Amino acid sequence: MKFIHIADVHLGAQPDAGPLYSRGRSRELWETFERVIRVCEDEQSDLLLIAGDLFHRQPLVRELREVDYLFSELTHTKVVLIAGNHDYIGADSNYRTFRWSENVFPLFGEKPQYVDFPELKTAVYGLSYHSREISRPLYDGFTAAGAEPFEILLAHGGDEKHIPFDRRAMECAGFEYVALGHIHKPMILKEDYIIYSGALEPVDKNDTGPHGYVKGEITESGIRTRWIPCASREYIHLGIKVSPEDTTGSIRREIEKQIQEYGNENIYKIILRGKRNHDVSLDTERMKGGQNVIEILDETSPAYDFEKLYAENADTILGRYIEQFRGCREGSTEYQALCEGVEALLNSRQ
């Protein structure tokens, strides 16, 4: 039995992607989802397992129709899905009344239920969110019922506000495979057994690293899985070393150079670190230029010679301020306060 496991597609999200990609980024979520559907068809996968948050919010009827059309085009694959904390089944959710194609099997109950596929010797279990947060450990104590030789659990959660679970209890629950959703980074809790597929595409600037889906096969001899990258872009946090000789222009050139090395198709958060000339004011907005940069954090500190400043200003408020922070470790909160205070006092003299 061949399956593909996806989660956290977040259709309908509007990810921040910088000036180059923001306009089309929402569309890319749909395009990547469609690519996975084509993989299911090309490889004649038996099951497509969707472990929650197919949508970023309550889905519109027209969005459900679009998704169901894609599912209906599958000539062999059966689709099983649950609702997660983003697309939870609220009182007015269109999930409640939508009629899916015959190859789609939603597990939308608040309590565990399963769908049986005798021709695949497989049963798939799951439950859905009916509120944004569920702090109860609903999966603990939930075990396979023995309906079929191969049994799979679809589950969404794993933190204290979203169905926390005991991993060891899950390992003993009797499932051949546990398809997890909610954590956007791919993560293997137990090899070939309990896996977060991660989001298909990153939707937040902190969703760093590659994203994709799990491809698996269950046979009489066991299960084999492989994680497949498929995202159009990655969010990359890129550190830039700054020296006292640098200016806004030179840092901008270095940012452009490193973006070329890491890939212009990706989206960047830049963190500036090091010592800058205390007479230089860094313009982070100008550094962005037309690049695919969504944020620049300036974590630099001015390159002051504090001993020299103290010797020249020992009897002034500046000298007394420096004396209060003597011995503080560079990079500490105290050191940051020292730099900011000295900068403010020097600026007040101008």
Side-chain angles (χ1 to χ4, degrees), residues 12 18 35 107 136 143 158 188 203 206 214 217 247-248 260 298 338:
R35 285 203 305 274
L107 299 175
R136 291 168 291 146
T143 58
I188 297 173
V203 295
N206 293 315
V214 175
E217 184 174 7
T247 64
T248 292
Q260 288 296 321
D298 183 1
L338 170 62

Side-chain angles (χ1 to χ4, degrees), residues 189-292:
L189 300 188
K190 187 171 183 179
E191 188 173 1
D192 288 333
Y193 183 27
I194 304 176
I195 300 177
Y196 282 103
S197 64
L200 277 187
E201 287 273 356
V203 295
D204 181 88
K205 64 187 176 185
N206 293 315
D207 284 351
T208 56
H211 289 74
Y213 60 92
V214 175
K215 183 185 295 185
E217 184 174 7
I218 300 176
T219 66
E220 299 294 344
S221 59
I223 181 169
R224 294 178 301 169
T225 61
R226 185 159 59 101
W227 186 82
I228 309 294
C230 72
S232 304
R233 315 184 190 283
E234 292 182 25
Y235 286 103
I236 294 178
H237 293 183
L238 190 58
I240 301 291
K241 183 69 173 178
V242 174
S243 69
E245 292 74 32
D246 277 313
T247 64
T248 292
S250 68
I251 296 170
R252 177 175 173 174
R253 282 196 298 273
E254 180 62 22
I255 291 172
E256 292 170 350
K257 175 185 173 183
Q258 294 209 30
I259 285 177
Q260 288 296 321
E261 291 177 1
Y262 281 90
N264 196 56
E265 74 279 5
N266 296 315
I267 305 165
Y268 293 87
K269 175 180 176 180
I270 307 296
I271 304 99
L272 306 180
R273 299 188 177 101
K275 297 280 190 179
R276 69 178 188 276
N277 190 306
H278 61 82
D279 287 329
V280 171
S281 177
L282 300 180
D283 186 346
T284 56
E285 285 302 312
R286 188 173 140 224
M287 289 177 197
K288 289 181 183 179
Q291 298 295 318
N292 40 336

